[in-house]
């Protein structure tokens, strides 16, 4: 780290390809464009972001600026009923350096992530040595089903596929206790802290005070877990403001772990090869 500036990697955000994103970005005090993100990244010392991909599996549909990497997403439009057929395109993505992992969307997809239908996906993750990030916890749409996105589902997947590196997105929020149990038991599961804020927070001190109980739960469970080498900063942008999110996470991660949580862990687990 040069000087005192903490470099930040956003290990979980979404970019461009969803309806309603322009409005979400505006509500969070941003604009949904690469140019705006470049400026906001500079302002808040973000150096890189990992896009959680949605939509097409065609590599041509995943073109991003150089300060972004992406996880190729198997969402409900990504032929979940036809995993076998989608494997060649999935592999084409994994061959690319800019593709740093796979993203699964259980809950939105009505399939358990340990279902054998995903076995060939995990085989590819192993072969290309790239993590599998898994949506866990609450979902943004009402027709999604929480039984598929509950963090406990990751326990069975992690046991079944011990050589795969998993990332539990959103720390299973609000099933925090179950999420921590899965993380404590399974060394091959890391966690990202994205998706816990929404919109622009105009009075951060007031917010932190009002949410004191929740924030202390996050702090206490992560302290109990004591695996700060597996915890990654992430925002779920465009849902939240980039400046707010840094202040929020700093409120429950002890300062001695900021370097690991805000930069080192994502750089190592997603093999981004960025200079510290
Ligand atoms: Zn997300």
């Amino acid at each position: 780290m040069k000087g005192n500036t903490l470099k930040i990697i956003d290990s979980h955000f979404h970019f461009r390809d969803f309806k309603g994103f322009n409005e979400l970005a505006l509500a969070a005090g941003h604009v949904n464009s690469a140019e705006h993100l470049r400026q906001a990244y500079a302002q808040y010392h973000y150096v890189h972001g990992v896009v959680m991909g949605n939509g097409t599996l065609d590599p041509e549909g995943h073109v991003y600026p150089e300060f972004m990497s992406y996880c190729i997403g198997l969402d409900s439009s990504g032929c979940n009923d036809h995993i076998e057929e989608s494997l060649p395109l999935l592999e084409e993505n994994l061959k690319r350096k800019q593709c740093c992992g796979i993203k699964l969307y259980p809950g939105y997809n009505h399939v358990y992530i340990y279902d054998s239908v995903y076995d060939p996906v995990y085989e590819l993750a192993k072969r290309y040595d790239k993590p599998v990030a898994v949506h866990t916890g609450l979902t943004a749409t009402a027709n999604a089903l929480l039984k598929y996105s509950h963090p406990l589902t990751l326990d069975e997947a992690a046991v079944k596929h011990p050589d795969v590196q998993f990332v539990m997105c959103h720390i299973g929020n609000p099933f925090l206790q179950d999420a921590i149990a899965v993380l404590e038991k399974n060394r091959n599961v890391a966690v990202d802290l994205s998706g816990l804020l929404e919109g622009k927070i105009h009075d951060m001190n007031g917010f932190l005070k009002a949410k004191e109980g929740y924030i202390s739960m996050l702090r206490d469970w992560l302290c109990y877990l004591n695996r700060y080498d597996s915890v990654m900063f992430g925002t779920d942008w465009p849902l939240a403001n980039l400046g707010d999110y840094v202040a929020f996470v700093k409120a429950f991660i002890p300062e001695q772990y900021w370097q690991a949580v805000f930069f080192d862990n994502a750089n190592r687990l997603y093999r981004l090869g960025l200079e510290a």
Side-chain angles (χ1 to χ4, degrees):
M1 190 166 47
K2 275 186 204 134
N4 288 321
T5 309
L6 179 67
K7 286 185 187 173
I8 295 171
I9 297 170
D10 184 350
S11 76
H12 182 137
F13 80 108
H14 300 269
F15 187 60
R16 263 201 315 231
D17 49 359
F18 248 25
K19 59 176 186 301
F21 267 28
N22 292 345
E23 293 74 17
L24 284 171
L26 287 174
H30 289 291
V31 178
N32 184 25
S33 76
E35 225 19 72
H36 171 85
L37 262 190
R38 202 184 285 277
Q39 288 165 16
Y41 269 34
Q43 182 181 353
Y44 297 112
H45 309 294
Y46 285 52
V47 293
H48 201 82
V50 177
V51 177
M52 292 291 151
N54 302 99
T56 182
L57 287 176
D58 184 349
E60 299 299 313
H62 294 279
V63 177
Y64 304 102
E66 77 297 340
F67 63 99
M68 298 179 192
S69 301
Y70 73 103
C71 288
I72 181 67
L74 281 174
D75 66 12
S76 47
S77 60
C79 309
N80 267 274
D81 301 332
H82 313 282
I83 294 279
E84 283 296 329
E85 291 164 33
S86 55
L87 294 174
L89 278 179
L90 186 61
E91 184 162 8
E92 278 315 302
N93 284 281
L94 291 170
K95 283 178 183 166
R96 297 165 136 202
K97 191 178 177 308
Q98 204 171 18
C99 176
C100 64
I102 298 170
K103 173 78 188 288
L104 301 180
Y105 290 89
Y108 302 103
N109 297 332
H110 295 179
V111 187
Y112 286 113
I113 54 161
Y114 49 78
D115 193 291
S116 56
V117 75
Y118 285 123
D119 285 356
V121 173
Y122 294 122
E123 272 311 309
L124 282 176
K126 258 195 297 187
R127 192 178 318 152
Y128 287 89
D129 201 14
K130 294 184 176 180
V132 178
V134 181
H135 173 87
T136 61
L138 204 67
T139 50
T141 54
N143 59 350
L145 289 172
L146 293 174
K147 67 174 180 178
Y148 297 111
S149 62
H150 193 283
L152 268 184
T153 59
L154 254 176
D155 182 42
E156 191 153 346
V159 169
K160 197 174 165 191
H161 305 283
D163 301 328
V164 172
Q165 173 68 59
F166 289 91
V167 176
M168 179 195 287
C169 302
H170 321 304
I171 192 168
N173 193 58
F175 306 113
L176 295 180
Q177 208 168 326
D178 307 270
I180 294 293
V182 173
L183 289 160
E184 185 176 17
K185 175 171 168 284
N186 300 291
R187 293 299 305 186
N188 57 331
V189 184
V191 62
D192 83 38
L193 303 172
S194 68
L196 308 177
L197 287 189
E198 231 182 280
K200 170 75 191 134
I201 293 157
H202 295 284
D203 170 15
M204 183 50 78
N205 285 337
F207 175 84
L208 294 178
K209 192 134 190 60
K211 300 276 178 184
E212 211 167 22
Y214 175 66
I215 288 165
S216 112
M217 247 190 325
L218 287 167
R219 186 190 302 113
D220 291 349
W221 277 123
L222 287 168
C223 174
Y224 162 87
L225 178 66
N226 196 23
R227 270 185 62 198
Y228 291 99
D229 62 345
S230 304
V231 179
M232 293 184 282
F233 175 79
T235 63
D236 225 3
W237 192 92
L239 264 81
N241 179 274
L242 297 182
D244 291 350
Y245 222 97
V246 174
F248 170 65
V249 170
K250 281 182 174 176
F252 61 86
I253 298 290
E255 189 167 354
Q256 73 211 85
Y257 303 116
W258 286 357
Q259 177 65 31
V261 169
F262 282 94
F263 185 90
D264 292 345
N265 298 339
N267 197 29
R268 184 183 77 254
L269 290 163
Y270 283 118
R271 302 176 191 288
L272 301 175
L274 301 171
E275 226 175 280

